[in-house]
Amino acid sequence: MNIPIARLHHDKSFLTASPPGVGGTASNSDVTNRKNLLLLIQLRWLAVAGQVLTILVTQYWFTIPLPLTEMAGVVLFLVGLNIFSLLALRGNRRISNAQLFVALIFDMAALTTQLYLSGGASNPFVSLYLLQITLGAALLAPWSTWLLVVAASACFVFLIVVFQPIALPHHGGSDLLALHLRGMFICFVLAAGLIVIFMTRINRNLRERDAYLADLRQRSAEEDHIVRMGLLASGAAHELGTPLSTISVILSDWRQMRGVKRNRELSEDVAEMQAQIERCKSIVTGILMSSGQARGEGTIRTTIRHFLDDLVQEWRGSRQPFKLDYSNGFEPDEQIVSDTALKQVIFNVLDNAQEASHDWVGITAERQDEKLVFTVKDRGPGFDKDILAALGQPYMSSKGRPGGGLGLFLVFNVVRKLGGDVSARNMAEGACVTLSLPLAALTDGGDREA
């Protein structure tokens, strides 16, 4: 079996999904920071709405006079800060931990100013500092969170010493205490609700990041596995070259022997053995080309329809299936630059189908939007449930022989590297495997360089 190693280095998706430590982690960290900054923007809009509502209720319901001009200025500052943050999100600049820290510091400064204008530390909404510290603990690096704690503590001490007192209505002490308790209750409900909402979203972002990193680690392990198999295949191909050449020479000598020439049946057998030896040598050459050739060497310019027609014809001639139904409905046709690796990927799927179903194999090719959809069906026993659940993993096979399952493992990885996908399902009779490949990865118009 030719192992398609060369193709693994020529896809564009690998550039955007590098293993941890190569660049993928940093990229995904930036995506997570962008999501977290968007959460802070949403929280700030709620803070703006909450401050406007609180100021109006305090001013006109409780008839407590407030410095409306100064407080409105703080609200406008938060609106401007949100607009600036939205513009930063639209750009291509990375969102770092320091930027998130500065954003929380600005929010804390705005809260401190509002509290300074409305009674200082005696204002029941002073406990909203805990909300900002909680968000910092979830979003920031540890050193940033501790700086946020120090800043909040300094603001609290500042508000104890310096603040603008508000003129409270002339009520008894019990009424003032009840008013303060109501304010504390409103602050508690607001803080608790916001913490639950935004901590849930932040945890979801972190879970998505962890899942992404776990997928990168899995892909990195699979790439290492494929590289090791490629090295073994190349080494085996080199080692097999000499004995195959020796056997070919011996068979040529046998064909010249007088006894073999006189025996027609024996002569035919030797000729068939020579043909099979030549096929083995061709396979060995294909392994060496797939695992070591430079990009662009040995490629063929053709169209997708002709490529598939020639591929199926070659497979039919070498495997000689009992019955093969082939339908090529790919229209309109596209130019393609094919190579050995892409052909071998499809050969692996066809070989698996023939091994499962000797009597019949069905092949269809069609175009769906900007994708080539290649479907292979058989009338075999189908996939076991356990194999379907872990399809594409190495050594997951129902054939019961050492090394089984590597063919589909390679197919999954190569197709995924091309930006496509592989799906498999059981039918009423047999199984169906579908390869979906984006045309941009196959045609002349795509970026074919690694």
Side-chain angles (χ1 to χ4, degrees):
M1 179 184 71
N2 292 13
I3 298 183
I5 299 301
R7 171 69 73 176
L8 302 183
H9 306 288
H10 311 313
D11 67 292
K12 294 179 283 186
S13 62
F14 186 73
L15 301 177
T16 58
S18 304
V22 179
T25 304
S27 175
N28 188 251
S29 176
D30 179 56
V31 172
T32 303
N33 285 341
R34 284 179 173 272
K35 291 182 178 179
N36 291 336
L37 180 58
L38 182 60
L39 290 179
L40 288 181
I41 292 173
Q42 295 172 355
L43 175 61
R44 197 174 291 127
W45 286 127
L46 290 177
V48 168
Q51 288 184 23
V52 171
L53 180 62
T54 302
I55 291 171
L56 293 177
V57 169
T58 304
Q59 178 78 22
Y60 298 106
W61 190 359
F62 294 114
T63 64
I64 299 176
L66 296 172
L68 296 180
T69 303
E70 293 84 348
M71 287 187 163
V74 176
V75 172
L76 291 177
F77 167 77
L78 291 175
V79 172
L81 182 60
N82 252 8
I83 294 174
F84 178 80
S85 299
L86 287 172
L87 293 176
L89 277 179
R90 289 186 177 181
N92 295 324
R93 296 179 58 186
R94 294 183 65 253
I95 303 300
S96 63
N97 175 81
Q99 289 172 288
L100 293 176
F101 172 73
V102 171
L104 285 173
I105 286 292
F106 277 129
D107 288 334
M108 186 176 294
L111 175 62
T112 303
T113 304
Q114 296 288 42
L115 293 174
Y116 165 79
L117 296 171
S118 56
S122 62
N123 191 311
F125 288 92
V126 73
S127 58
L128 287 178
Y129 281 127
L130 294 177
L131 172 61
Q132 295 176 333
I133 293 175
T134 302
L135 291 174
L139 301 179
L140 304 178
W143 66 268
S144 307
T145 305
W146 284 112
L147 282 181
L148 205 64
V149 171
V150 172
S153 302
C155 290
F156 199 109
V157 172
F158 170 79
L159 292 174
I160 294 175
V161 179
V162 182
F163 60 91
Q164 287 187 11
I166 57 177
L168 294 174
H170 296 288
H171 295 292
S174 59
D175 291 338
L176 291 177
L177 178 60
L179 181 64
H180 187 79
L181 290 176
R182 283 196 293 270
M184 291 180 62
F185 174 74
I186 294 173
C187 179
F188 170 78
V189 172
L190 178 63
L194 291 176
I195 287 175
V196 170
I197 292 173
F198 286 92
M199 289 301 294
T200 300
R201 295 186 182 181
I202 290 169
N203 285 333
R204 182 181 62 192
N205 290 345
L206 294 176
R207 285 195 298 270
E208 290 176 357
R209 184 192 65 181
D210 292 341
Y212 177 83
L213 294 177
D215 184 58
L216 284 182
R217 285 191 290 268
Q218 177 66 25
R219 292 192 181 193
S220 178
E222 291 177 357
E223 294 295 334
D224 291 341
H225 193 84
I226 291 174
V227 169
R228 287 196 299 270
M229 287 193 297
L231 293 174
L232 290 174
S234 299
H238 281 292
E239 295 293 332
L240 288 172
T242 300
L244 287 176
S245 298
T246 302
I247 295 174
S248 179
V249 171
I250 293 174
L251 290 175
S252 297
D253 292 341
W254 283 5
R255 292 192 67 180
Q256 303 303 319
M257 294 176 64
R258 190 173 299 177
V260 174
K261 287 183 177 181
R262 292 176 179 176
N263 190 328
R264 179 179 178 183
E265 183 177 352
L266 183 58
S267 178
E268 290 177 353
D269 288 343
V270 172
E272 177 64 21
M273 292 171 64
Q274 271 195 310
Q276 294 301 321
I277 288 294
E278 291 301 318
R279 182 185 170 195
C280 290
K281 292 169 69 175
S282 175
I283 292 174
V284 168
T285 302
I287 292 176
L288 294 174
M289 289 180 62
S290 296
S291 60
Q293 71 177 5
R295 184 60 182 163
E297 295 179 6
T299 58
I300 301 173
R301 290 187 177 274
T302 179
T303 65
I304 291 182
R305 286 185 60 88
H306 290 159
F307 169 74
L308 295 177
D309 291 344
D310 293 342
L311 181 148
V312 172
Q313 183 178 358
E314 180 181 345
W315 184 82
R316 189 202 302 263
S318 60
R319 272 61 167 185
Q320 298 181 350
F322 182 77
K323 184 177 182 182
L324 174 65
D325 289 338
Y326 171 57
S327 173
N328 190 347
F330 188 90
E331 290 290 348
D333 207 355
E334 292 276 357
Q335 293 292 320
I336 183 177
V337 178
S338 67
D339 59 20
T340 313
L342 180 60
K343 181 176 71 174
Q344 191 59 51
V345 165
I346 300 178
F347 270 22
N348 284 341
V349 179
L350 296 176
D351 288 343
N352 284 339
Q354 187 187 28
E355 289 186 25
S357 172
H358 297 285
D359 297 334
W360 179 84
V361 174
I363 305 172
T364 59
E366 58 182 345
R367 178 170 183 161
Q368 294 182 2
D369 297 328
E370 294 302 312
K371 288 186 176 181
L372 163 65
V373 179
F374 190 85
T375 304
V376 179
K377 298 179 181 179
D378 63 63
R379 292 176 181 169
F383 295 100
D384 294 338
K385 291 183 178 180
D386 294 339
I387 294 177
L388 272 180
L391 201 65
Q393 299 297 318
Y395 311 118
M396 291 296 296
S397 172
S398 58
K399 299 174 184 177
R401 65 168 183 256
L406 285 179
L408 275 180
F409 169 69
L410 293 171
V411 169
F412 266 76
N413 277 273
V414 173
V415 171
R416 184 177 63 191
K417 302 295 288 180
L418 288 171
D421 58 78
V422 182
S423 62
R425 59 185 176 88
N426 289 327
M427 303 185 297
E429 183 181 4
C432 173
V433 176
T434 302
L435 309 182
S436 179
L437 295 167
L439 298 182
L442 305 176
T443 58
D444 288 333
D447 181 6
R448 302 284 297 173
E449 295 303 325

